[in-house]
Amino acid sequence: MSRVFLTGFMGCGKSVTGALLASRLSVEFIDLDDRIVTMAGCSIAEIFSKRGEAAFRELESAALRSLPNGVVCALGGGTFMDPENRAWALSKAQVLYLRVGVPELVRRLRADKTVRPLLQDQEGRPLAVAQMEDRIRCMLEHREPIYQQAHLTLNVDGVTPEVAADKCWEAYRSRNVRR
């Protein structure tokens, strides 16, 4: 096994699903955001507020390229958007896009207490529901065609992480049986 990367919008379940898939494959699970935090020595929110998004994206690219073989990795929601990151990921791993619709993303992200700089207002407060939905819809309209460049798109809207991991497992298994 080389690498399996999960991509998709924030809140689509990459981390939980990835950990379950890694367990099924008996390999290490890495959350790219956690790797970035370790490399930077501070939280993602601090990186964004003190250094800006461009610095975060540089750290993200370095963290991506430092991944070992034989892992399942949850990419950050924006990792696959960078053309160089995307080309590297597609050539070095099996990339699965976990697709979730806007209403489900809003529901999940509102319930999640993780600080998400891209879903905050200028004062650093979480967006109101209508604003969050508009922001997600706008971002997803831009990102969806790029996410769909993954090797496989898996619809995981409304399913449990266990079912999402089953879908990933079947996708991984069927792709590797054909090789």
Side-chain angles (χ1 to χ4, degrees):
M1 182 203 160
S2 61
R3 302 173 179 102
V4 177
F5 292 165
L6 303 182
T7 192
F9 201 79
M10 63 183 105
C12 73
K14 297 178 300 283
S15 297
V16 176
T17 301
L20 292 168
L21 178 61
S23 178
R24 283 189 85 164
L25 293 171
S26 299
V27 298
E28 180 183 9
F29 170 71
I30 297 173
D31 184 304
L32 194 65
D33 285 346
D34 292 343
R35 195 168 185 94
I36 293 165
V37 166
T38 299
M39 289 171 64
C42 61
S43 73
I44 289 174
E46 289 173 309
I47 297 167
F48 267 80
S49 68
K50 293 179 182 173
R51 300 188 211 170
E53 186 175 356
F56 171 79
R57 297 298 175 198
E58 286 179 30
L59 286 166
E60 184 177 57
S61 293
L64 176 68
R65 284 164 180 72
S66 74
L67 292 169
N69 283 320
V71 299
V72 171
C73 180
L75 302 180
T79 308
F80 203 65
M81 301 307 297
D82 178 273
E84 290 178 11
N85 287 347
R86 186 169 52 257
W88 189 89
L90 289 168
S91 71
K92 303 292 183 182
Q94 185 176 137
V95 183
L96 307 177
Y97 166 36
L98 302 184
R99 186 179 188 289
V100 174
V102 174
E104 179 70 6
L105 288 170
V106 170
R107 186 193 67 73
R108 290 180 185 188
L109 290 165
R110 288 203 29 88
D112 185 1
K113 299 304 175 202
T114 304
V115 175
R116 301 196 185 261
L118 294 176
L119 296 179
Q120 294 180 328
D121 65 18
Q122 292 178 346
E123 285 78 41
R125 294 180 304 239
L127 296 173
V129 177
Q131 292 174 306
M132 179 184 285
E133 185 171 334
D134 288 346
R135 173 92 42 96
I136 290 170
R137 190 175 313 285
C138 181
M139 290 175 71
L140 201 53
E141 283 175 9
H142 172 69
R143 291 180 177 195
E144 179 89 20
I146 295 169
Y147 288 150
Q148 289 182 349
Q149 292 176 33
H151 295 112
L152 289 169
T153 296
L154 303 172
N155 185 358
V156 295
D157 200 354
V159 304
T160 65
E162 291 78 12
V163 171
D166 288 344
K167 288 184 172 203
C168 291
W169 165 252
E170 287 302 320
Y172 172 81
R173 194 173 66 77
S174 66
R175 277 187 63 90
N176 285 300
V177 167
R178 283 186 252 145
R179 286 186 180 169

